[in-house]
Amino acid sequence: MPLDALLQERSVTRAAQRLGLSQPTVSAALARLRRHFGDELLTRVGNAYELTPLAERLAAHTALALGSADRVFETRPAFDPAFARREFTLVVTDMHLATFGRTLAALVRDAAPEVRLRFQHNTPHIVHRAPEHLRTVDGMVLAQGLLANVPAIDLYEDRWVCVISSDTVTSAPPTPEELVARPWVLPYHFPAAGFSPLHGLHAQGLEPRVEIAIENFLTMPYLIAGTDRVGVVPERAARLFSAASGTAVLELPFGGGRLVESLWWHPLHDRDPAHIWLRKTAAEAGRLVAAGRAEAVHHDTPHS
């Protein structure tokens, strides 16, 4: 699609190379698009081209439209995983990738050797626009409470734990008041989403000072070790921390609430046989993670 290529590449030459067309052909297409939208779309700034404000908005819309169209043409009346050639795209965090994603990949490899998984990194921007973004992917792994009116299946349960520097551990567990006195590191901080592991603190009228907000879980030790900071992560993420990370994992001295990881998808996938198979496989991967058998799957899977 010339419009998408021009908006993504911001260059007639590169767009032509991407599309396998001649430069004059793409230049003519750009001229027609400019007339259609009544906008320059690409404007020269120095030696490069930049998108106009209208083109910036179009770039987001074309990506969504093309993603939806791709999934329409990938739909088949039946799905045989042993012979299927298909790519599934899932949005996950670094922790999900290391646990659920790794287990899912092993199951997919065994049952569908020609199926490819693409994992996209989760961000707050994607979560805030989830109903729209779900049109372009096959699913998102998110905790219950973040989305509504979207189909989902539960994968496994987890719980929040506290992370502090190992050199600040004392014989007595820290109290909520002692923890709140420290600066905090929070992963995926959604202050307006109604979802937080800090509900127990808020119920006591305590509000920690968030010094650092991060969009991952597994980098937490680098921001905690050797400092007075405190953080919270799911327990399954904490299990992935190195023994030499310089951090200690403690029970939360306040209720962190129930954490259920779920797979969410757009309703347009509901009856797609391939997606139904993906959901069943994801549910099995979640069951293995919940049972603590993920590593067994990884070790039992033969290497190519």
Side-chain angles (χ1 to χ4, degrees), residues 149-167:
N149 303 319
V150 180
I153 55 172
D154 293 342
L155 298 173
Y156 56 88
E157 290 193 21
D158 209 336
R159 66 187 187 117
W160 295 102
V161 293
C162 178
V163 183
I164 62 174
S165 180
S166 56
D167 58 11

Side-chain angles (χ1 to χ4, degrees), residues 4-39:
D4 182 61
L6 286 164
L7 296 179
Q8 295 297 325
E9 299 295 340
R10 305 186 184 193
S11 162
V12 171
T13 301
R14 291 196 298 272
Q17 293 171 345
R18 175 174 169 175
L19 295 168
L21 300 174
S22 68
Q23 187 169 332
T25 299
V26 177
S27 293
L30 176 59
R32 290 193 298 272
L33 290 166
R34 282 170 166 167
R35 289 195 299 271
H36 174 79
F37 289 106
D39 187 88

